[in-house]
Amino acid sequence: CDNAFETISIILQAKNGAIVTASFRDFQIFTEREAEEVHQQLKTVAAQVGAQYGITPFVSWELSYAGEHKNCFNTNVPTLNYKDHDYQIPVWDAVRHIRKNGGIFSINHPFAIRPLKRKRFTPLERMQILAKMQAELTANKAYGANLIEVGFPDGRNGFSAEEYLLLWDLLTVSGLFLSGYGCSDSHRDNDGWFDGNNFATYIGVPAELSHPITEEAFTQAMKLGRMYTGDPVKLQGAVDFATTDGHPMGSVFLSSDTESKTILFRAEKTHPGWQFRLIENGLCIHTEQVNSDTFSYHSVLKLGNLSVNFQRAELWDENGRCILLTNPIYLIHAELFAGDIPYDRIPKDESHS
């Protein structure tokens, strides 16, 4: 649930030169439920609707008044009552609340934040803002976030898709292992589905799990970066980005175990005219036109001069619009890396201690 409905717009329309007038002597909005009571009611309603369609909805909430917006991705984390805190909750207090209740969360739309909204910036100013944002998030270790919202194919708030992705890549090079994803952030049921910033996220849980898949299985996969994000209208087939020895996207390897990893990208139901892009350490190192209904590409991630080396893949359609982002596969230079090694992302069959 994203904020709450606390305002109502009244629109008067007239046709053919007619004049319409409305007068309101008294108008009040009464709040019957708020905060966690609303959250619990929404979970109940979602479960009832889900049962009609054979799906299992998970109703979580957006943290809107503790610094900039963040999505909490656990239904069992109680919502915070903003009113009790005068709509000003310290960021780290909110983070501790989520962590204490076993939650994970994301950094939302990093360039569509209150100080930047509805302003126009030159390309140079946007790069300066990007650099400042990267420095802030790196210094604060992304406030403990596990994910970052970067999948905006049409850009957002005047910043391009490429600028959101550059921020993500720079944070990765800085040693932050944030799972990237996209979403429409639509607050209505009639837009954000078929075009525009309509990305959906496809989460990879172990195939042997029986249905219904638990919430914990999904959030663990999200935390580990085992997911890709893209346009659900364009993407109609399976997508995979994994090492050739079977380790999925999101995996981390140490230089003490290996100096290179061979990676395979594969996508089904592709279309001629699409373009594949391979991103390494923030730079596009290979592009290739898609010419058939199935596309695959092998690459080798080698240990370089950076403390964190990574590759991720993108697909762009025939109109030059991004339609797919995988999460990276990483190779850490153990002798150079000074950050927190995400041991839960390292495959168990690797020889590290």
Side-chain angles (χ1 to χ4, degrees):
C1 38
D2 187 349
N3 300 308
F5 296 107
E6 295 182 342
T7 59
I8 294 176
S9 298
I10 299 175
I11 301 172
L12 302 179
Q13 294 181 325
K15 295 182 178 180
N16 302 322
I19 297 175
V20 59
T21 302
S23 299
F24 301 92
R25 292 183 179 275
D26 186 25
F27 187 88
Q28 298 182 58
I29 298 176
F30 295 95
T31 301
E32 293 187 7
R33 296 179 177 86
E34 60 186 15
E36 184 57 18
E37 188 179 1
V38 176
H39 184 206
Q40 292 300 325
Q41 185 177 33
L42 287 172
K43 288 166 65 173
T44 300
V45 172
Q48 294 170 348
V49 174
Q52 296 180 30
Y53 295 94
I55 61 174
T56 305
F58 300 115
V59 180
S60 192
W61 51 281
E62 181 182 79
L63 182 60
S64 305
Y65 295 100
E68 297 302 334
H69 292 189
K70 303 167 185 67
N71 279 340
C72 172
F73 285 104
N74 293 79
T75 64
N76 293 322
V77 177
T79 58
L80 291 165
N81 193 320
Y82 304 127
K83 186 188 296 184
D84 290 348
H85 299 272
D86 195 27
Y87 295 88
Q88 292 295 327
I89 300 174
V91 175
W92 289 109
D93 286 357
V95 170
R96 281 190 287 271
H97 171 77
I98 293 173
R99 292 294 190 212
K100 180 180 69 176
N101 289 281
I104 65 171
F105 69 95
S106 68
I107 299 293
N108 290 10
H109 41 71
F111 296 127
I113 60 177
R114 281 181 283 265
L116 304 179
K117 281 188 175 181
R118 288 177 282 278
K119 296 180 181 179
R120 292 189 177 184
F121 300 101
T122 66
L124 176 59
E125 288 172 332
R126 292 200 305 275
M127 285 298 100
Q128 291 171 335
I129 291 169
L130 192 155
K132 183 179 179 180
M133 180 75 67
Q134 186 247 338
E136 177 199 337
L137 290 174
T138 299
N140 290 283
K141 296 185 178 180
Y143 300 99
N146 307 97
L147 305 96
I148 187 166
E149 198 176 78
V150 292
F152 300 110
D154 286 5
R156 183 162 177 177
N157 196 43
F159 288 77
S160 68
E162 290 87 349
E163 287 164 335
Y164 278 92
L165 296 176
L166 177 58
L167 174 64
W168 182 29
D169 290 340
L170 290 174
L171 292 172
T172 304
V173 170
S174 299
L176 297 179
F177 300 86
L178 298 171
S179 303
Y181 76 101
C183 69
S184 71
D185 201 12
S186 176
H187 288 219
R188 295 186 294 273
D189 62 356
N190 60 354
D191 66 6
W193 296 94
F194 300 104
D195 52 23
N197 287 326
N198 68 332
F199 271 22
T201 299
Y202 301 80
I203 304 169
V205 298
E208 65 271 13
L209 294 181
S210 59
H211 286 266
I213 307 298
T214 65
E215 176 183 336
E216 291 73 18
F218 284 115
T219 55
Q220 180 67 4
M222 294 166 72
K223 181 180 178 181
L224 298 178
R226 293 174 181 169
M227 61 186 194
Y228 61 89
T229 187
D231 184 334
V233 178
K234 294 276 190 175
L235 298 176
Q236 296 295 313
V239 174
D240 196 20
F241 186 67
T243 64
T244 52
D245 54 354
H247 300 302
M249 65 185 86
S251 296
V252 170
F253 301 92
L254 300 180
S255 59
S256 55
D257 300 326
T258 183
E259 292 191 353
S260 66
K261 275 293 178 181
T262 302
I263 300 171
L264 173 64
F265 171 82
R266 189 175 188 277
E268 298 177 353
K269 296 187 179 180
T270 52
H271 292 270
W274 289 6
Q275 184 187 68
F276 167 78
R277 299 183 186 180
L278 181 68
I279 310 300
E280 181 176 281
N281 301 340
L283 300 175
C284 181
I285 63 168
H286 180 78
T287 63
E288 187 170 328
Q289 289 296 116
V290 175
N291 295 311
S292 63
D293 60 1
T294 300
F295 178 85
S296 62
Y297 182 79
H298 281 89
S299 62
V300 179
L301 173 61
K302 297 180 180 180
L303 188 65
N305 296 324
L306 298 176
S307 60
V308 179
N309 302 270
F310 68 92
Q311 288 184 353
R312 59 177 182 82
E314 303 174 354
L315 281 178
W316 295 65
D317 70 10
E318 64 279 6
N319 298 313
R321 177 177 176 273
C322 183
I323 58 173
L324 168 72
L325 302 168
T326 74
N327 265 276
I329 292 174
Y330 312 84
L331 179 53
I332 293 178
H333 200 308
E335 295 181 357
L336 301 178
F337 188 68
D340 299 324
I341 295 176
Y343 286 104
D344 54 347
R345 286 177 176 254
I346 299 175
K348 290 183 171 57
D349 59 356
E350 294 296 304
S351 61
H352 72 282
S353 57

